[in-house]
Amino acid sequence: MTHLRRSMLPRLITMLALLAGVVAATVLAQAIEFRSLTEQAILYDTPSEQGKRLFILRSGTPVEVVVRLDKWVKVREPGGSLNWLESRVLSNRRTVLVTAERAVIRREARDDAAPSFEAVRNVVLHLVEAPSLGWAKVRHRDGDEGYIRINEVWGL
């Protein structure tokens, strides 16, 4: 019986390591949280109005929430920097920012689908449906809708 347990030990350790990896990957995937700004927002270097004002992001811009601290949130903005802003300016409404020079938004989630409209770099689009198979359904503020390739936007 002791021999049987010893021979199973390497397999058990391998299975536990794989399980730990799956759990860690799942937690990491769920940890990414994007929000959009309800209004123009000042970004600070510290979680305080006495901190250095770095720059302003326009209303609708998507940001990745990294840390929450009282009424402050540390975010990653589309340019990649980590800064603080007041949590009151965050919305649950999801947006994405076009990163391609010119993105063709299509009527269907296919490369050969008819175009619905085009958007240039830094245009904010409202996310209508969660991404699927490399495409996200979006809406322009003018009301036009369609599908954009997820590699042409930031905020997912």
Side-chain angles (χ1 to χ4, degrees):
M1 187 77 161
T2 305
H3 176 69
L4 181 59
R5 279 191 231 158
R6 283 188 190 149
S7 66
M8 291 179 60
L9 189 57
R11 266 192 250 158
L12 181 60
I13 290 171
T14 302
M15 287 175 27
L16 287 174
L18 288 172
L19 180 61
V22 169
V23 169
T26 302
V27 169
L28 181 61
Q30 292 173 351
I32 298 174
E33 175 187 2
F34 284 95
R35 301 292 176 148
S36 60
L37 301 179
T38 59
E39 61 189 65
Q40 200 171 258
I42 300 169
L43 277 79
Y44 295 85
D45 66 341
T46 61
S48 168
E49 289 178 356
Q50 284 70 46
K52 181 179 177 186
R53 294 176 179 210
L54 301 172
F55 54 93
I56 296 174
L57 289 179
R58 70 175 189 252
S59 178
T61 302
V63 294
E64 178 187 350
V65 173
V66 178
V67 175
R68 293 180 184 273
L69 181 65
D70 297 324
K71 70 175 197 158
W72 293 91
V73 180
K74 189 171 199 173
V75 299
R76 182 181 325 277
E77 51 86 29
S81 66
L82 293 170
N83 305 293
W84 293 90
L85 54 75
E86 293 181 85
S87 61
R88 68 175 180 74
V89 300
L90 294 180
S91 169
N92 288 335
R93 189 170 189 184
R94 293 287 308 277
T95 60
V96 293
L97 186 74
V98 176
T99 56
E101 282 301 316
R102 181 172 298 286
V104 177
I105 291 73
R106 303 203 174 266
R107 295 188 191 278
E108 297 176 39
R110 298 187 341 252
D111 285 321
D112 62 347
S116 178
F117 66 98
E118 289 187 7
V120 296
R121 183 183 302 274
N122 295 325
V123 167
V124 173
L125 302 170
H126 295 281
L127 186 63
V128 176
E129 292 176 6
S132 176
L133 303 173
W135 295 88
K137 188 170 186 182
V138 294
R139 180 182 306 118
H140 190 272
R141 68 177 180 197
D142 294 340
D144 293 330
E145 282 190 9
Y147 294 85
I148 190 168
R149 280 247 170 237
I150 61 172
N151 63 352
E152 295 181 316
V153 295
W154 188 86
L156 295 173

